[in-house]
Amino acid sequence: MSVRSRAAPDVRMAPRPKRDWGDEAKRLWYKFSLNKASVIGLCIVLFVLVLAVFQPWLAPYPHHVGAVVDFANANRPPCKEYWMGTDTVGRDIMSRIFYAYRGAFTLGLGVLLATVPLGSILGLVAGYWKERWFSTVIMRVTDVFLALPPMILALCVCAIMRPTLFNSMMAMCVAWWPWYTRLTYGMATSLRNEMYVKSAELLGASKSHIIFKELLPNCYGSILTKMTLDMGWVILTGATLSFVGLGEQPPTPALGNMVSEGAKYLPAQWWISIFPALAIMVIVLGFNLMGDGIKDMLSGEA
Amino acid sequence: MVLRWLQRIGVYFLVLLGLSILVFVIARVIPGDPARQALGPRVSEETVQALREKLNLDKPLFTQYVLWFKGAIRLDLGDSLLTRRPVIEDVRRYLPATLEIVLLSAVFMAAGGILFGIVATKYTGKWQDALIRVLSYLGIVSPPFVWAVLFMLLFGYIIPVLPTTGRIAQSVAAPTRMITGMYTVDYLLTGNLAGWWDAFKHLLLPSIALMLGGMAQAARLTRSNMVENSMKDYIQAQQAYGVPEKKLLYKYLLKPSLIPTISILALDIAAVFGNAFLVENLFNYPGLSRYGLSAMLNKDINAISGVVMVFGLIFILVNILSDMVVAWLDPRVRLMGGADV
């Protein structure tokens, strides 16, 4: 061969050592389970998830989700047939809470799945090319979005659209992405000076290789931790939006609108609003405990 | 250093400019016709058209923005379609009430959070620590509107010792002179102590409902940073020198541990402004947040952009303030003239 090949050299010179995922998982689980609180958090989240997914089979009165009326059993306090009582038209509160959890999970997953990839990649791009003009543009736009309290931004966007679950999801996406951009931006600006990134550059690795294969995997830990904690926050914010009537509309139950409906009948029929309020606290607590556990688990990991 | 601070303030101005664009765009992409919405279905097309022209809705979006921005600089935010008054007048009327609540919750939040953080550190691993931890989780996971509902149940019906609606009782006259617009301050300035007490009582429940989450977060963060810093060499060295425990705790350990707490407090105050939208509404408290919420629900575009701009401006001021406190606490930041922006 007299002529040197001009193609970029292969970055993967040495085969990567195979990681034993089974062992890895076992070790991580051990670290996670050291803290009993985080295991409790995981159990809460899984339990609620099962209730939400299998609502039609687990709820005692699954059809009470819609516009059902049963005046004979209206306003019953918690009893053997209705563990959490019934509302003013005789619908079982517990069955409605199970269903409302579906909305809460949909909202949390929807918002995070839409915002995390977008926000993180924007942050990585802006952080890796910190000196370029588009980095400045991205970060200044991020600053603008961060200059409003997220609740106000979400309320604002939500209020101008028709109140549905999907639209409240959209509104929260508008308010949520910049936090991930800022997170990964900070990480990328320091990671880009690491030796392994420099050597990848010297070997002529493509930009997408550096962003996705060198920088991104190092951010997974922080992103995952923030995501778990944010699941709780998204559900909380969603409940707040539906509390003011921006979100799922009655008769479909949502955690927030159940509290606000029930608040009208305090203190006599306390169970109508107190149980949905507790339901919000339980799920948010679950995600918070779990998030703290994941943070401890991943601290000190590469 | 002065240059760095000036640069930072310049960045904040840029953010404010961007914010005005964002707010303007949000308020103008409302589906439907705001003019028709404001006047109702029974008004003739000519009247609606006249209002459209008055609101500049018939001009291109960019011209609308320029006109709105020119007005905003002169503190003219247009008229509210709901109250029919200039928005800036409504802001002047309602903002002090909201500031009162937010300031009180900020004070509670900072004082309580730092205090509980110190107590938990002092008794690390003992029951006090465990209790504070459990209570913090409770504070973090319950949204302010749940606290508000609980307080209304508790104080409105079961033990009615604190008022649950409005700013002052009906039997109490408003301050004779409006100086700041904040009732508690005005009563004090006019020497009406009974009035002050009544206004203060009305502030308590909403501000406590708003601050519990932030306080819990501040307490947790203060504790974890103090515990982490207490492992550091310089603390161990001071301990070995025999520095009294009190001096060690407050002078050497607390100060650096407060830096993250200050940053999180700034965010929590922002969250208080957001949550005030609901809490003021529940407590029937006539503040700017309640006004803003009704503007949003009624698609009152001028009021929405006005209120949101005011809150954005306040939030930016809070951020500048927290930057300054951090710079004062942290010599590394102070000497470099602020963290990297």
Side-chain angles (χ1 to χ4, degrees), chain A:
Chain A
M1 285 241 288
S2 54
V3 183
R4 264 215 208 143
S5 160
R6 308 199 103 211
D10 190 357
V11 185
R12 295 157 298 164
M13 291 200 304
R16 279 168 190 262
K18 268 242 164 81
R19 277 173 118 176
D20 187 343
W21 290 107
D23 250 24
E24 194 90 331
K26 246 188 227 159
R27 198 173 54 79
L28 284 176
W29 169 250
Y30 174 72
K31 270 181 94 174
F32 182 79
S33 61
L34 280 181
N35 188 351
K36 290 286 162 291
S38 34
V39 180
I40 295 175
L42 180 67
C43 291
I44 295 177
V45 169
L46 288 180
F47 180 66
V48 173
L49 186 64
V50 168
L51 289 184
V53 172
F54 298 104
Q55 190 268 352
W57 297 278
L58 290 177
Y61 304 92
H63 58 286
H64 281 195
V65 161
V68 179
V69 284
D70 178 11
F71 285 116
N73 284 313
N75 293 322
R76 298 252 321 246
C79 57
K80 224 193 271 169
E81 296 92 41
Y82 301 97
W83 289 4
M84 295 183 185
T86 60
D87 62 9
T88 48
V89 292
R91 292 175 299 194
D92 178 39
I93 305 272
M94 196 163 80
S95 310
R96 288 172 67 75
I97 287 179
F98 289 3
Y99 191 83
Y101 272 142
R102 287 186 160 191
F105 271 104
T106 317
L107 191 73
L109 286 176
V111 169
L112 291 181
L113 288 181
T115 54
V116 174
L118 177 82
S120 313
I121 289 168
L122 275 178
L124 287 176
V125 167
Y128 182 65
W129 286 283
K130 198 182 167 194
E131 289 78 21
R132 304 285 290 276
W133 61 272
F134 52 81
S135 167
T136 317
V137 171
I138 292 175
M139 291 323 287
R140 289 297 159 261
V141 172
T142 311
D143 283 344
V144 169
F145 278 83
L146 289 173
L148 264 188
M151 184 78 78
I152 297 185
L153 190 55
L155 268 173
C156 219
V157 177
C158 214
I160 61 172
M161 296 190 287
R162 268 186 317 115
T164 60
L165 183 67
F166 182 76
N167 281 347
S168 69
M169 207 140 80
M170 298 286 291
M172 286 167 68
C173 289
V174 172
W176 230 269
W177 66 270
W179 300 95
Y180 286 89
T181 307
R182 199 160 79 167
L183 177 79
T184 53
Y185 172 78
M187 299 190 76
T189 46
S190 68
L191 284 175
R192 67 181 187 149
N193 297 320
E194 294 282 337
M195 284 316 276
Y196 56 84
V197 178
K198 293 281 171 217
S199 27
E201 279 168 359
L202 281 175
L203 287 168
S206 68
K207 296 302 177 203
S208 72
H209 172 91
I210 290 174
I211 296 279
F212 290 105
K213 290 275 165 64
E214 307 289 345
L215 296 179
L216 185 60
N218 286 293
C219 301
Y220 281 152
S222 314
I223 293 178
L224 187 68
T225 309
K226 191 167 166 49
M227 272 176 79
T228 321
L229 291 170
D230 271 359
M231 269 300 278
W233 297 130
V234 171
I235 291 175
L236 206 71
T237 313
T240 309
L241 288 179
S242 92
F243 183 83
V244 275
L246 305 167
E248 201 80 90
Q249 293 300 301
T252 310
L255 294 173
N257 77 25
M258 287 175 77
V259 178
S260 73
E261 277 294 299
K264 292 175 201 154
Y265 306 104
L266 284 173
Q269 285 102 303
W270 53 270
W271 57 89
I272 303 181
S273 62
I274 297 299
F275 284 116
L278 284 177
I280 299 174
M281 290 162 75
V282 165
I283 183 65
V284 180
L285 179 71
F287 277 113
N288 264 286
L289 291 174
M290 200 173 121
D292 287 346
I294 290 181
K295 187 160 53 181
D296 291 344
M297 177 177 89
L298 294 175
S299 69
E301 298 283 329

